[in-house]
Amino acid sequence: MQHIRRAEADRICQAATFSGGLRLDFDPAREGSVGGMDCETPVLASPVQKVVRRTVVSLQHGRFQACEIIRQQTRNSDPAIERSALLPNIVAPGGRYAFDLISHVGVESYLRGRSLQDIRQELIDRNPRLTFQ
């Protein structure tokens, strides 16, 4: 049953993938495994409650699809929700712009006195290219 649930979560995340874009999966069951997020290691995990996906823009990865798998523990009488510990370190809950991008824009505009139009053009010209909609 766990294998079927994991396959379904992977299928949902695959449907969320951008054509030619980057998708990063954030699964609390894999984050706690030895050696990091190893996709080949079988994991005894709580069932998937839902999969939340959103577009995030960061300096490090460019524009990517963040696919967070939310799990619900069923071992206890009081079921607890398991969420990614890594995703909140990259972007605020519900946010679209990563902390590295927000701090870069802040430093460039407030400390270096650059205009937002200049910063935007610099971000569009850099690699990975950032697009804003």
Side-chain angles (χ1 to χ4, degrees):
M1 197 63 159
Q2 291 288 2
H3 176 70
I4 293 169
R5 285 186 177 134
R6 190 172 344 129
E8 281 303 304
D10 289 343
R11 186 183 67 75
I12 291 168
C13 285
Q14 287 294 334
T17 305
F18 288 160
S19 57
L22 175 65
R23 184 194 84 216
L24 298 177
D25 295 335
F26 297 90
D27 187 350
R30 299 229 183 264
E31 291 171 6
S33 65
V34 177
M37 297 177 79
D38 181 11
C39 295
E40 301 301 319
T41 306
V43 176
L44 206 59
S46 301
V48 173
Q49 182 187 40
K50 64 181 175 178
V51 177
V52 178
R53 58 190 164 122
R54 61 183 155 142
T55 302
V56 176
V57 181
S58 79
L59 283 178
Q60 184 178 7
H61 302 294
R63 181 186 205 82
F64 67 93
Q65 185 77 20
C67 184
E68 181 182 17
I69 298 170
I70 300 173
R71 298 180 176 273
Q72 183 172 4
Q73 290 182 354
T74 55
R75 296 176 216 126
N76 306 10
S77 61
D78 182 27
I81 303 298
E82 297 175 359
R83 296 194 72 137
S84 171
L86 298 177
L87 187 57
N89 292 330
I90 297 171
V91 63
R96 177 175 178 175
Y97 299 106
F99 294 126
D100 63 347
L101 179 61
I102 293 169
S103 65
H104 175 76
V105 171
V107 166
E108 292 298 312
S109 68
Y110 292 112
L111 295 181
R112 296 200 174 106
R114 295 182 60 197
S115 72
L116 293 178
Q117 292 81 11
D118 288 344
I119 298 168
R120 183 176 191 272
Q121 190 59 47
E122 171 212 338
L123 294 172
I124 290 171
D125 294 342
R126 73 186 309 275
N127 191 11
R129 180 187 164 111
L130 299 182
T131 57
F132 303 94
Q133 295 177 357

